[in-house]
Amino acid sequence: MKKHVTKISLFILIGLIIVSCNVTKKVPDGKRLLVKNEISVDNKEIKQDDVFNQLYQKPNSSILGYRLRLNLYNLAKKNADTSYAKWLAKKPNRKKNLAKLLSEKQVERLGNSFLVSGLSNFLMKTGEAPVLFDSTSTKKSLRRLESYYYNKGYFNVKANYNRDTTALKKVAVKYSIDLKSPYIIDSLKTTIETPALDSLYQKRKSNSLIKPKAQYNTEDFNNERNRITTHFRNNGAYLFQQNYITYKLDTIDTNKKINVKLIIKDYSYRENDTSKTAPFKLYKISKVAIYTDHTTNKNDIKVKDSVEYKDFVLYSENKLKYRPKSITDAVFISKGNYYSDISNELTTRYLSNLKVFNYPTIQYKVDPKDENSLLANIFLTPRKKYTFGASVDFTHSNIQDFGISGNTSMLIRNVFNGAETFEIGFRGNVGASRDNANPNNTFFNISEIGIDAKLNFPRIFFPYNTEKIIAKSMIPSTSISVGFAKQRNIGLDKQNFTSSFSYNWTPTRSSTFRFDILNIQFVKNVNIENYFNIYQSSYNVLNLLANNYSTNLNYFDDNNNLIIGLGTNGFVNDALNGSLTSTIPANDLKTIRSLEERRKRLTENNLIFATSLSYSKTTNKGINDNSFYSYKTKIESAGNLLSILARASKQLKNQSGANTFFEVEYSQYLKGEFEFIKHWNFGAKKVVAIRSFSGIAVPYGNSKSVPFSRSYFSGGSNDNRAWQPYSLGPGSSGAINDFNEANMKLAFSAELRYNLFGKFNSAIFTDIGNIWNVFDNVTDEAYKFKGFQSMKELAVGTGVGLRYDQGLFVVRFDLGFKTYNPSKIENERWFRELNFSKSVLNIGINYPF
């Protein structure tokens, strides 16, 4: 029945849309719907978005040529509530009869209900009113087109338009632009009245953006004005502003050549009622005063404590709570130096980055003792020393049917009077799971608790001065963190201890470095007997093999399944080292041995002592920037320090011959990663985005494989969206395990993103990638990377996405289809699973890259 209702609803919806496909349905008589704009320049049609953006009127939006929003608008009834009132009054007993079923008030309110007028209001808001041709707007568009090309150097440009009205109630507008020859810059001369500014200009004259023999472009002149202003203000010209720079262009009898004169006049000011001028002064800083506990609601500053440190004076309305160096290290405004916007900006950024003060206020005034100098006053408003936070969430996942998670944190500022911050947080989760044994019949039968602490120093914490290597303008910091988490009835009941000591710095605003001197992770698996309850695929294979041979009957339960623990361990021991070894074929023995090696690897305790260096760079200028690139790279090495310590302390080797540290086999590997992201903005809310990733982790020395936490997986909402997480690869193996991972990964994704209507966007995407084993102890050829021939094992997923842009975040729904599946035999890999039954729905927050 439900299927029939769904089909009927679908047919009705399709029928309504078809009926509304008359796009001129709501175009009044005598008016025409604008259906197309064309622009030709010198008789050549162009498609440039920046040119089309000059037009005041644009046709209704469309998706693959279909004007969805216009047709939705056409479905709506105009003044639906009024039509309802007329319908009620049409028959005298109609209102009375309705009132018997409802009430009189409900009959009246029915006109404003969603059923009567709400749907129409929704369609009108969601839809788009028809764009009606307007000659006034078209003439304005002509003037804007001429202005656009005038600013490109085409001073004699002419534009006109023609209308195509052959279609009923529709019009197409064709704009024709005759550029004529452009004007070329012939010479550049300067008149700078202030000698000091003239001297500064001459030093950087070669950097001028106005070049003789170049075509005139207004943007070049604006950028040159910015360049000169920046140069002057970074060299003491505190009072200089852009409006002091003007240009005179001589084009009379020059045969379309421009003689440019750059004019910078003296400083102008008013004294009483008289306007005066004077040469600009290049100011030096005579004093830097820092007010460390200024409150914004006080006009008078009452100083009770002050300290002179180097060339700075620190004031406090109470007792000074900061070590002077911790504050002055964040100040780039120096006594004796010229005023500089760059120093001002760096000081603001660094002080804000301390997270101890609110956004700082920096004020300058002329020194009454020296009219060529400035007094710099920096006002700092401290944040609260203690900040508390707490949150509670209700969760559902494949691990727990229902869960309650919560966390609380406390942030302490200026811990050691050096602008340090210390944060400690507690987190916990309790949940209910029907999959776990529950002898006491308690509702909440799984739990996880954790504690994390982080101490941050606003400098490089090192016994020697590192400023020559990492300048303080790079805003360096040091972080020390430690954490512990414990699980109960979740997986193997891991106990996870982490700790790190890292340096962070930003060479430029667009690039960052992170150097983890030490990153420690110790994972202890408490409940290893639960392994086969979690990794069901491994259990199913082992159970099937056990039933094929003369396995000890004590290993089975009443349903003839291996008993987890007694049965699984007993069968594996008998198969590999006991009575069954000679009776099991080599291929099955290989499978059993592989399953046992994987079990040992995933249940063993892990000790990782790693050092890593990460670098990232982006040209992204903000949330609305859709034309940028970014890349990240990371190199990580683990186990070398422990290898030296183990040898020095003569730690014993375990049964497999590996070195141990405090009886735990430590991991040793070398890992490298690189990620590149690029966005192209094609205008009209169309963006093409690509992402490529490559990573490899090579075990050596003490390890034959990489720890699970440092390996790679494929699939998921931010990876290959045609596969679930951990369900792709390795290689052509077919993802036979529950959690498939490997130590090498290649991935490439591309998306075409476009707007549907309003805040709803869509995307067409392709994801390519896979994972493999390489240089480790895996012997199965299907898993291993074999050079270029493994490129045929790159899985291809394609799909479509729907995104709702809320503003602060994006809710994303992506539907992925397995287009090329390398786990199939070669002649069945392409397009065999391109259907909804094999598709994967991914739900995520924000864009995948």
Side-chain angles (χ1 to χ4, degrees):
M1 181 63 187
K2 288 183 178 179
K3 290 183 179 180
H4 292 303
V5 171
T6 303
K7 289 181 179 179
I8 292 169
S9 301
L10 184 61
F11 284 132
I12 292 173
L13 179 61
I14 293 172
L16 286 172
I17 293 176
I18 291 172
V19 167
S20 70
C21 279
N22 178 14
V23 292
T24 60
K25 179 180 178 180
K26 293 193 176 181
V27 176
D29 292 337
K31 298 290 184 178
R32 290 185 178 273
L33 178 72
L34 179 63
V35 294
K36 188 177 183 181
N37 282 327
E38 289 185 19
I39 300 177
S40 62
V41 178
D42 291 340
N43 297 319
K44 292 181 180 179
E45 187 177 349
I46 63 167
K47 298 291 185 182
Q48 293 171 245
D49 281 328
D50 55 344
V51 180
F52 275 86
N53 287 338
Q54 309 305 315
L55 303 182
Y56 276 90
Q57 279 196 308
K58 297 177 183 178
N60 291 95
S61 59
S62 64
I63 302 171
L64 301 175
Y66 179 74
R67 303 188 192 279
L68 175 63
R69 294 188 65 189
L70 174 58
N71 283 308
L72 288 174
Y73 185 89
N74 287 340
L75 280 172
K77 289 183 179 180
K78 190 176 181 181
N79 301 322
D81 52 346
T82 304
S83 300
Y84 171 74
K86 290 180 179 179
W87 177 79
L88 273 182
K90 193 171 183 180
K91 291 185 178 182
N93 294 326
R94 181 171 285 170
K95 185 174 182 180
K96 188 182 296 184
N97 292 333
L98 276 176
K100 290 178 181 178
L101 296 173
L102 306 171
S103 66
E104 288 191 15
K105 286 186 178 180
Q106 287 176 327
V107 172
E108 293 293 336
R109 290 174 182 171
L110 197 58
N112 297 319
S113 67
F114 181 81
L115 186 64
V116 176
S117 59
L119 178 60
S120 291
N121 292 336
F122 170 77
L123 291 171
M124 292 179 75
K125 287 180 180 179
T126 307
E128 195 175 67
V131 178
L132 305 178
F133 172 78
D134 177 56
S135 59
T136 302
S137 297
T138 306
K139 290 173 183 176
K140 287 182 180 179
S141 296
L142 286 179
R143 291 196 291 271
R144 286 185 66 173
L145 287 169
E146 289 178 343
S147 177
Y148 173 84
Y149 283 104
Y150 184 94
N151 287 319
K152 299 288 184 183
Y154 300 97
F155 293 171
N156 300 321
V157 62
K158 294 294 180 184
N160 56 65
Y161 73 92
N162 292 309
R163 296 186 301 163
D164 180 359
T165 58
T166 53
L168 183 64
K169 281 193 172 185
K170 297 179 183 179
V171 62
V173 180
K174 183 174 182 179
Y175 296 87
S176 300
I177 302 169
D178 183 9
L179 294 179
K180 299 185 170 55
S181 300
Y183 278 69
I184 307 298
I185 296 171
D186 187 47
S187 63
L188 172 64
K189 295 181 179 179
T190 60
T191 300
I192 304 175
E193 294 181 357
T194 301
L197 295 188
D198 186 49
S199 178
L200 283 175
Y201 176 84
Q202 297 301 329
K203 288 180 181 178
R204 298 283 181 89
K205 185 178 180 180
S206 61
N207 295 336
S208 175
L209 300 175
I210 302 174
K211 306 285 187 182
K213 298 183 180 180
Q215 184 173 326
Y216 173 87
N217 192 325
T218 300
E219 187 177 353
D220 291 339
F221 282 70
N222 292 334
N223 290 338
E224 176 66 2
R225 186 180 279 112
N226 292 336
R227 184 192 72 84
I228 294 171
T229 302
T230 301
H231 177 49
F232 286 176
R233 288 185 61 83
N234 284 328
N235 286 276
Y238 171 66
L239 298 175
F240 189 82
Q241 301 293 334
Q242 281 191 22
N243 59 316
Y244 284 101
I245 303 174
T246 58
Y247 300 103
K248 282 190 176 180
L249 309 180
D250 180 13
T251 58
I252 299 175
D253 298 327
T254 60
N255 192 24
K256 296 188 177 181
K257 292 182 179 179
I258 307 173
N259 296 312
V260 181
K261 189 174 186 180
L262 186 151
I263 302 169
I264 302 177
K265 293 187 176 182
D266 282 341
Y267 174 63
S268 61
Y269 62 98
R270 292 189 68 84
E271 189 175 279
N272 297 325
D273 293 330
T274 307
S275 295
K276 294 186 176 182
T277 61
F280 281 96
K281 295 177 181 179
L282 301 184
Y283 291 97
K284 286 189 174 183
I285 306 298
S286 60
K287 181 183 178 181
V288 181
I290 306 171
Y291 297 86
T292 61
D293 57 355
H294 177 65
T295 51
T296 55
N297 58 349
K298 293 183 179 180
N299 295 323
D300 298 327
I301 301 173
K302 297 178 181 179
V303 176
K304 292 185 180 179
D305 193 7
S306 65
V307 172
E308 288 192 25
Y309 179 77
K310 295 185 178 180
D311 290 328
F312 303 92
V313 183
L314 289 82
Y315 297 104
S316 178
E317 297 182 15
N318 300 292
K319 185 178 179 181
L320 189 66
K321 299 178 182 178
Y322 308 92
R323 290 199 306 274
K325 188 177 186 303
S326 66
I327 304 297
T328 59
D329 276 353
V331 177
F332 296 84
I333 304 165
S334 302
K335 180 180 177 180
N337 288 353
Y338 282 109
Y339 167 84
S340 169
D341 278 351
I342 290 178
S343 298
N344 196 72
E345 181 186 351
L346 280 172
T347 300
T348 301
R349 282 180 57 205
Y350 204 135
L351 288 170
S352 299
N353 200 63
L354 291 178
K355 299 179 182 179
V356 173
F357 304 103
N358 292 331
Y359 195 80
T361 300
I362 304 176
Q363 297 177 354
Y364 296 89
K365 64 179 182 179
V366 177
D367 191 341
K369 298 178 182 179
D370 182 0
E371 63 180 13
N372 294 315
S373 298
L374 294 174
L375 300 175
N377 296 317
I378 304 173
F379 298 97
L380 304 176
T381 302
R383 297 184 182 183
K384 292 180 180 179
K385 187 174 181 66
Y386 300 97
T387 300
F388 297 90
S391 66
V392 176
D393 288 314
F394 300 95
T395 59
H396 171 77
S397 68
N398 58 346
I399 296 176
Q400 56 189 5
D401 302 304
F402 174 76
I404 303 174
S405 64
N407 65 75
T408 180
S409 63
M410 180 176 67
L411 176 65
I412 307 174
R413 297 182 175 89
N414 197 35
V415 181
F416 306 117
N417 296 329
E420 306 88 357
T421 58
F422 176 73
E423 186 173 9
I424 185 168
F426 300 90
R427 51 192 165 84
N429 176 80
V430 291
S433 175
R434 287 171 293 186
D435 295 333
N436 285 292
N438 194 4
N440 297 323
N441 198 29
T442 55
F443 181 73
F444 291 114
N445 57 341
I446 63 175
S447 64
E448 181 176 6
I449 58 171
I451 180 172
D452 300 286
K454 182 179 180 182
L455 180 62
N456 187 76
F457 297 88
R459 55 192 172 275
I460 296 296
F461 195 76
F462 197 72
Y464 301 103
N465 191 345
T466 60
E467 193 167 334
K468 291 183 179 179
I469 303 172
I470 303 174
K472 71 174 187 176
S473 60
M474 298 181 184
I475 313 182
S477 65
T478 303
S479 295
I480 302 173
S481 66
V482 63
F484 175 76
K486 181 180 180 181
Q487 297 176 336
R488 183 180 68 86
N489 288 341
I490 301 176
L492 302 176
D493 289 357
K494 294 180 185 293
Q495 293 182 358
N496 190 24
F497 171 81
T498 58
S499 182
S500 67
F501 185 98
S502 62
Y503 297 139
N504 301 273
W505 66 96
T506 57
T508 65
R509 296 195 85 173
S510 62
S511 60
T512 60
F513 270 104
R514 177 186 172 101
F515 182 27
D516 281 1
I517 299 292
L518 199 59
N519 191 313
I520 304 172
Q521 183 180 25
F522 174 61
V523 180
K524 182 180 180 181
N525 294 304
V526 179
N527 187 12
I528 60 175
E529 295 298 324
N530 199 37
Y531 174 81
F532 284 111
N533 285 319
I534 305 164
Y535 297 90
Q536 285 287 328
S537 296
S538 297
Y539 172 79
N540 292 337
V541 173
L542 199 66
N543 189 48
L544 182 64
L545 290 171
N547 278 281
N548 289 339
Y549 301 104
S550 301
T551 307
N552 190 330
L553 295 178
N554 293 324
Y555 296 161
F556 295 97
D557 60 16
D558 294 338
N559 296 318
N560 210 32
N561 292 320
L562 280 175
I563 300 171
I564 292 177
L566 172 67
T568 52
N569 293 339
F571 172 67
V572 169
N573 288 333
D574 290 350
L576 299 181
N577 306 304
S579 58
L580 295 177
T581 306
S582 60
T583 63
I584 300 177
N587 285 340
D588 286 349
L589 276 177
K590 181 180 177 182
T591 300
I592 296 170
R593 186 174 291 108
S594 176
L595 291 172
E596 178 62 7
E597 287 177 354
R598 179 175 171 80
R599 186 193 68 82
K600 287 181 177 179
R601 174 170 171 257
L602 295 181
T603 58
E604 68 184 0
N605 298 332
N606 292 132
L607 179 60
I608 303 171
F609 268 61
T611 298
S612 65
L613 178 65
S614 305
Y615 175 74
S616 64
K617 179 180 174 62
T618 181
T619 60
N620 193 336
K621 296 178 182 178
I623 193 171
N624 295 318
D625 187 359
N626 288 318
S627 183
F628 68 92
Y629 71 86
S630 68
Y631 62 86
K632 301 175 185 177
T633 185
K634 180 180 180 180
I635 299 174
E636 180 177 319
S637 176
N640 295 327
L641 176 61
L642 288 185
S643 178
I644 295 171
L645 294 176
R647 292 175 185 175
S649 59
K650 297 181 180 179
Q651 294 281 324
L652 296 176
K653 294 184 177 182
N654 61 14
Q655 292 180 349
S656 61
N659 289 316
T660 61
F661 191 78
F662 293 121
E663 300 182 355
V664 179
E665 183 179 328
Y666 58 86
S667 300
Q668 195 167 12
Y669 61 86
L670 184 64
K671 185 178 185 180
E673 296 177 349
F674 182 80
E675 180 185 55
F676 177 77
I677 295 173
K678 172 69 177 172
H679 287 203
W680 290 273
N681 187 1
F682 288 91
K685 296 185 179 180
K686 292 185 180 68
V687 175
V688 170
I690 64 168
R691 171 185 179 262
S692 61
F693 175 88
S694 59
I696 185 171
V698 179
Y700 68 96
N702 206 52
S703 296
K704 296 179 181 178
S705 61
V706 176
F708 184 86
S709 61
R710 295 297 200 269
S711 61
Y712 298 106
F713 71 92
S714 194
S717 62
N718 294 321
D719 196 72
N720 198 317
R721 286 161 281 187
W723 278 263
Q724 298 283 3
Y726 292 98
S727 67
L728 172 59
S732 59
S733 65
I736 62 173
N737 298 311
D738 296 274
F739 299 93
N740 297 277
E741 40 81 35
N743 65 326
M744 178 182 172
K745 179 175 182 175
L746 295 176
F748 178 84
S749 296
E751 282 193 347
L752 169 61
R753 301 169 184 168
Y754 54 91
N755 180 253
L756 289 176
F757 54 85
K759 295 183 178 181
F760 287 93
N761 301 304
S762 185
I764 302 170
F765 61 83
T766 299
D767 299 321
I768 303 171
N770 208 335
I771 54 174
W772 295 269
N773 289 95
V774 62
F775 304 128
D776 62 2
N777 59 353
V778 174
T779 57
D780 193 325
E781 292 297 315
Y783 287 67
K784 296 174 68 174
F785 183 79
K786 302 176 284 293
F788 282 106
Q789 62 176 308
S790 292
M791 294 299 101
K792 65 182 180 181
E793 296 172 350
L794 286 169
V796 179
T798 56
V800 295
L802 176 67
R803 287 87 187 267
Y804 176 73
D805 191 345
Q806 192 271 342
L808 296 176
F809 58 89
V810 176
V811 181
R812 175 166 53 91
F813 302 90
D814 289 336
L815 190 63
F817 298 89
K818 296 177 180 64
T819 308
Y820 177 84
N821 190 345
S823 67
K824 303 294 182 180
I825 59 176
E826 290 202 18
N827 62 347
E828 294 183 1
R829 291 180 174 181
W830 281 105
F831 307 119
R832 293 300 179 95
E833 298 174 280
L834 206 61
N835 54 67
F836 284 102
S837 63
K838 298 292 181 66
S839 64
V840 176
L841 177 62
N842 300 270
I843 302 175
I845 300 296
N846 294 327
Y847 291 105
F849 51 89

